[in-house]
Amino acid sequence: MINKVKIISIMLFLASFLILSCDNSCSAEETPKSEKVTLTSIDVTSYPTKRLYITGEVFDPTGMTVKANYSDGSSKELKSGEYLCSPSAKLTENNTKITVSYTDSGIKKETEIPIQIGYAIEIKESVNGTVKCNADRAVSKSAVTLTVTPASDEYELENLLYMYTESSGEEVVRNLGISADKTEYKFDMPSYDIIVKATFKLKSDISTYSVTLNKIGAKGNIKVTLSYDDET
């Protein structure tokens, strides 16, 4: 009887041991292994302040914010210097986008932002009046507006033109039609840097003076009318 009790006790102990082992084994299998968090993408959340350039300028990221996104759903804002912008050299007329890239743990992600390459507008200084433009640069075929202001009521616009040099080396001059009392002049920007010139003059004051010469004789008087342009 005693042996039977011992055998039963041993069997119960072994059964308990097997149950505990199974519980531990099952728990270990059910616990997923933690996955490594990796970089999945980057986004430009705010565009840079400056997006219109002329050839020869370098891209300026001021005002731009870049965000990195990860596989666990988290994200972080990148600091200036953590990401790269390409091209970093002087821009040419063929550059229409900037590539932004960021690398984390050997994983590199990229995104792009559009930019525009325009052409410079230079206003030559005028005497007895001023010329102002709505911008100091503009893209090809965009509207350019010039505002002319005489120095005083005594002056008026005499001539207004813009000029540029084509890739062939030929110099082109475009005269803008002048109208009395008109202060704004518009034209489409060519695909070249331009120079704007204006000249102002004193307003014309035409006065007519009559001089009568008396001729002694039967035929009476001879009347002679003289006129001149008074610009003084």
Side-chain angles (χ1 to χ4, degrees):
M1 181 68 179
I2 295 174
N3 290 336
K4 188 175 180 180
V5 172
K6 287 183 177 181
I7 292 171
I8 293 173
S9 298
I10 293 171
M11 293 178 65
L12 290 173
F13 173 77
L14 291 174
S16 299
F17 178 77
L18 290 173
I19 291 172
L20 290 174
S21 298
C22 180
D23 288 343
N24 292 334
S25 176
C26 292
S27 297
E29 291 178 358
E30 290 174 358
T31 302
K33 295 181 179 180
S34 58
E35 296 182 359
K36 184 179 179 180
V37 178
T38 58
L39 178 67
T40 57
S41 64
I42 62 172
D43 297 316
V44 174
T45 55
S46 295
Y47 279 148
T49 305
K50 182 178 180 180
R51 294 175 61 196
L52 175 58
Y53 294 85
I54 58 177
T55 55
E57 291 185 326
V58 177
F59 174 71
D60 182 3
T62 302
M64 182 171 71
T65 55
V66 182
K67 181 179 68 173
N69 305 308
Y70 291 87
S71 56
D72 64 348
S74 63
S75 63
K76 70 174 184 178
E77 183 175 317
L78 302 178
K79 297 178 180 179
S80 177
E82 291 185 314
Y83 55 85
L84 299 176
C85 298
S86 178
S88 58
K90 293 181 179 180
L91 298 170
T92 69
E93 60 183 8
N94 296 321
N95 297 130
T96 58
K97 61 186 178 181
I98 296 294
T99 300
V100 183
S101 61
Y102 173 64
T103 302
D104 189 344
S105 301
I107 300 177
K108 182 179 180 180
K109 295 297 178 181
E110 297 180 344
T111 189
E112 296 177 346
I113 59 172
I115 62 170
Q116 290 181 306
I117 301 297
Y119 300 92
I121 301 173
E122 179 184 354
I123 308 293
K124 287 293 185 181
E125 186 176 354
S126 302
V127 178
N128 300 321
T130 59
V131 180
K132 292 185 178 180
C133 187
N134 61 325
D136 64 352
R137 62 194 64 191
V139 296
S140 178
K141 298 181 181 180
S142 64
V144 177
T145 302
L146 301 176
T147 302
V148 296
T149 307
S152 68
D153 292 338
E154 296 178 351
Y155 295 94
E156 63 184 358
L157 183 64
E158 180 180 33
N159 190 30
L160 180 63
L161 61 85
Y162 66 92
M163 54 192 298
Y164 57 89
T165 303
E166 294 184 333
S167 53
S168 62
E170 180 182 356
E171 188 175 273
V172 179
V173 178
R174 304 291 187 192
N175 284 287
L176 300 174
I178 296 174
S179 299
D181 300 325
K182 185 177 180 180
T183 59
E184 285 192 352
Y185 296 84
K186 297 183 179 182
F187 61 92
D188 291 337
M189 185 71 179
S191 300
Y192 301 97
D193 296 340
I194 67 170
I195 296 175
V196 177
K197 293 182 177 180
T199 55
F200 296 84
K201 67 175 183 177
L202 283 167
K203 290 182 178 179
S204 299
D205 183 12
I206 307 299
S207 300
T208 301
Y209 293 84
S210 297
V211 178
T212 301
L213 299 178
N214 293 321
K215 181 180 179 181
I216 301 174
K219 293 185 178 180
N221 298 331
I222 298 175
K223 184 177 182 181
V224 179
T225 302
L226 301 177
S227 65
Y228 73 96
D229 187 356
D230 184 4
E231 292 188 355
T232 62

